[in-house]
Amino acid sequence: MATMQDKDVMLTHGHDVERSSLEKGGKRRSSLPAAFGNDTNAIEGQLFSMNDLDPALDAKMRLVNNAINQIGWTNFHTKLFCLNGFGYMADSLILVIQSVIAGQAGAEFQPSFANGLTFASYAGMLVGALFWGGSADIIGRKFAFNVSLFLSAIFAIIAGASPNWIVLGLFVSIAAFGAGGNLVLDTTVFLEYLPANKQYLVTTLAAWWGLAPLFPAAFAWPLFSDSRFACNIDEPSTCTRANNQGWRYIWYGCGGLILLMSIARITVIRLKETPKFLLGQGKDAEVVENLQGIAKRYNRQCDLTLEQLAACGTVTSAHRSGVQEFMIHFRGLFATRKLGISTSLIWFSWTLIGLAYPLFYVFLPQYLRARGANTGAGSPNEVGCARHDLVEGEFASSASSQSKANSLKRYTMVVGALVTMVFFFAYTAVRTHAANLGFTCAIYFTVNVYYGTLYAYSPEVLPSAHRGTGNGIAIACNRVMGLVSAAVATSANTATSAPIYICAVLYIVMAIVAVLMPFEPYGKNSM
């Protein structure tokens, strides 16, 4: 019987691991189908092996990865990159819109809890990440991919017609619920169609998140500068629906944009279920049809056949849909000791960055203002620089993850976290607007080198059969910390320096966690 250590296999060269096992008289010989023949490249370069857990699925996954690599990059992948990027934009849009319009809407409704929209958006995204992530592993990626963005668009538009603060919060939370699953779905769907030599593009996908705030800003600038559409929030008694329509138009416009993106997802590509999800469900014929269809459409070679998959045997981990299947997928993330450690560290990383990222923007400007620093926090220049550096940071993390000289994604995250910590300490010396702008842009850039790499790393090292669940829980951990930061911002005393040291420790811990992560996905096929 295989030991736990024997199960914890990460293949740098799959053939060498299989060969060593055969020499020791192991049982893996029977799981290696004749379909592989003498092609040692067919079983090389896998991130880890599932041979002891489900030999048939492991062998079939290798064949499918070979077929995807054989097809290579096509216009299908280009379309998928853009359409999945729309999901990232929707997630960012909902968060930015609620923060942009909160002041104007609050002046009109005069709520007793001013941070209500922040709680509503993070709560919706928390539930959305868990729901859509879990459903993606149970009913498939296609349904969640097509429906979630449409749901977000409808309620974003409806939010503009809200009659009071509570109803606005409800619609914001539902719109966030729809958008909240897209960070899970988009990386999962995109990754499961990517050839191994293009998997670094999962990191670049996050750049769409940084582009999204340009749209609310484009709407808000002319509307909020015109007294016909925006009342004076310093005189809330004068704010009525008649003279404060601007924030509603922002919801209508951005909600309409999300609606167009959701329609494009259905009409431009007509996504079929991903091959790796179909494998886990035992639907080999649909896997072959899907990949052969892509190869034929773009005049590429694909040698995968149904007979090859059948020769691997029957997948024992295929499940029927049901309420208890979520727990099956949850336990699958801890099937081996090494996989369990990897999953736990990924979730811990998302928890840490989910707290550290908003704490910086919540506490430090208030901390500096309390000490007389003229920072100009929140100015258009700061926002513009931050958004520019957010996009630049995602591309930098993608480039560094792909570079052969700096090929380890884990250490890309280490560098991002540690350099951010250095700038973070330097920020405490800021006393002028120019210094604030410079250090804020630097921090935006470096923290998103870490963030962008983590976005790509997480789905790559999770097994495909449980990828939606694992990634969904990771994003949910991040959202929980968003709620915590909002609560802290409401009640904490920012006159002390404690938040600075807390954040500094968080960045150090993030770097340590990245070093301890057991898998390095660079140059290997995800499973």
Side-chain angles (χ1 to χ4, degrees):
M1 181 176 293
T3 64
M4 291 299 293
Q5 288 78 11
D6 188 39
K7 291 180 179 180
D8 293 333
V9 178
M10 183 178 74
L11 293 182
T12 302
H13 296 290
H15 179 64
D16 294 336
V17 174
E18 292 288 350
R19 184 176 56 193
S20 63
S21 296
L22 294 177
E23 291 171 353
K24 295 177 182 179
K27 294 183 179 181
R28 293 180 184 169
R29 177 66 177 173
S30 61
S31 68
L32 188 62
F36 286 123
N38 295 319
D39 184 8
T40 58
N41 291 324
I43 56 176
E44 291 182 351
Q46 301 298 139
L47 180 58
F48 54 82
S49 174
M50 297 181 293
N51 189 71
D52 290 305
L53 303 175
D54 192 334
L57 180 60
D58 183 77
K60 291 182 181 184
M61 194 69 71
R62 297 175 191 276
L63 286 171
V64 167
N65 278 332
N66 292 337
I68 292 174
N69 292 335
Q70 186 180 30
I71 293 171
W73 181 269
T74 68
N75 285 338
F76 171 82
H77 297 90
T78 302
K79 295 176 183 177
L80 203 59
F81 176 80
C82 295
L83 295 175
N84 286 0
F86 292 163
Y88 270 79
M89 289 184 68
D91 178 276
S92 181
L93 272 173
I94 298 300
L95 288 174
V96 173
I97 295 170
Q98 65 85 17
S99 64
V100 167
I101 64 94
Q104 294 297 144
E108 179 179 332
F109 296 134
Q110 300 184 37
S112 58
F113 186 42
N115 290 329
L117 294 187
T118 300
F119 274 90
S121 59
Y122 273 104
M125 289 190 168
L126 166 62
V127 178
L130 291 173
F131 177 82
W132 296 111
S135 66
D137 283 340
I138 297 173
I139 62 176
R141 283 73 156 123
K142 178 181 177 181
F143 176 81
F145 182 82
N146 289 335
V147 173
S148 60
L149 203 59
F150 180 77
L151 180 68
S152 179
I154 296 302
F155 281 94
I157 294 172
I158 295 175
S162 301
N164 56 58
W165 187 254
I166 294 177
V167 173
L168 175 60
L170 174 63
F171 290 151
V172 168
S173 65
I174 299 176
F177 168 78
N182 279 274
L183 294 186
V184 182
L185 295 168
D186 296 330
T187 52
T188 297
V189 171
F190 191 47
L191 177 64
E192 293 187 359
Y193 277 105
L194 276 180
N197 65 349
K198 299 294 184 181
Q199 285 182 187
Y200 68 92
L201 288 174
V202 178
T203 306
T204 310
L205 190 68
W208 288 89
W209 202 94
L211 293 175
L214 297 176
F215 296 96
F219 282 107
W221 179 71
L223 290 172
F224 286 173
S225 62
D226 192 329
S227 59
R228 294 175 299 173
F229 303 107
C231 65
N232 186 354
I233 60 175
D234 295 327
E235 300 177 3
S237 60
T238 64
C239 288
T240 65
R241 180 165 184 164
N243 68 359
N244 197 34
Q245 289 284 331
W247 68 267
R248 298 179 186 272
Y249 293 151
I250 293 174
W251 276 115
Y252 296 147
C254 292
L257 176 63
I258 298 174
L259 180 61
L260 290 176
M261 293 189 295
S262 68
I263 294 173
R265 278 190 167 187
I266 300 173
T267 58
V268 172
I269 205 168
R270 297 184 182 276
L271 182 74
K272 294 184 179 181
E273 197 52 78
T274 66
K276 294 183 179 181
F277 172 79
L278 293 173
L279 274 187
Q281 298 297 307
K283 300 179 180 179
D284 294 351
E286 293 183 40
V287 172
V288 175
E289 180 184 359
N290 190 345
L291 292 177
Q292 290 287 2
I294 295 174
K296 182 178 180 180
R297 188 181 313 135
Y298 296 102
N299 195 28
R300 301 295 177 88
Q301 185 176 352
C302 178
D303 297 330
L304 182 67
T305 65
L306 183 57
E307 290 74 21
Q308 287 178 321
L309 293 178
C312 298
T314 302
V315 173
T316 59
S317 57
H319 314 298
R320 294 188 302 270
S321 297
V323 177
Q324 295 181 342
E325 191 167 349
F326 177 82
M327 290 308 300
I328 294 174
H329 290 293
F330 181 88
R331 289 193 296 269
L333 296 165
F334 298 87
T336 70
R337 181 179 61 85
K338 184 174 286 186
L339 185 58
I341 292 173
S342 176
T343 299
S344 299
L345 291 178
I346 289 171
W347 292 350
F348 189 40
S349 297
W350 279 99
T351 302
L352 292 171
I353 191 65
L355 182 60
Y357 192 84
L359 275 182
F360 170 73
Y361 305 108
V362 168
F363 277 116
L364 280 188
Q366 299 175 35
Y367 174 84
L368 293 174
R369 281 196 297 270
R371 285 154 177 75
N374 181 23
T375 65
S379 68
N381 285 337
E382 177 186 321
V383 174
C385 176
R387 297 309 174 188
H388 176 267
D389 276 34
L390 176 62
V391 178
E392 294 261 341
E394 306 302 351
F395 281 108
S397 62
S398 174
S400 60
S401 295
Q402 174 64 4
S403 170
K404 292 186 181 297
N406 186 19
S407 62
L408 298 179
K409 290 188 177 181
R410 293 173 298 172
Y411 292 106
T412 300
M413 290 189 281
V414 172
V415 172
L418 292 181
V419 176
T420 299
M421 181 199 65
V422 172
F423 281 118
F424 188 85
F425 276 121
Y427 192 84
T428 60
V430 167
R431 292 294 183 272
T432 66
H433 171 61
N436 174 64
L437 182 62
F439 279 108
T440 298
C441 288
I443 290 171
Y444 263 113
F445 179 88
T446 56
V447 77
N448 282 288
V449 169
Y450 175 90
Y451 224 154
T453 307
L454 182 62
Y455 269 119
Y457 180 89
S458 300
E460 282 189 83
V461 300
L462 294 169
S464 61
H466 317 298
R467 183 171 287 139
T469 301
N471 210 14
I473 294 175
I475 302 297
C477 292
N478 184 275
R479 305 309 189 191
V480 168
M481 290 299 101
L483 289 171
V484 170
S485 66
V488 170
T490 302
S491 58
N493 178 13
T494 59
T496 71
S497 59
I500 294 178
Y501 296 108
I502 292 173
C503 288
V505 170
L506 289 174
Y507 285 112
I508 294 172
V509 174
M510 279 187 275
I512 295 173
V513 170
V515 172
L516 295 176
M517 288 176 174
F519 293 130
E520 175 51 55
Y522 177 81
K524 302 181 181 72
N525 288 291
S526 63
M527 293 295 283

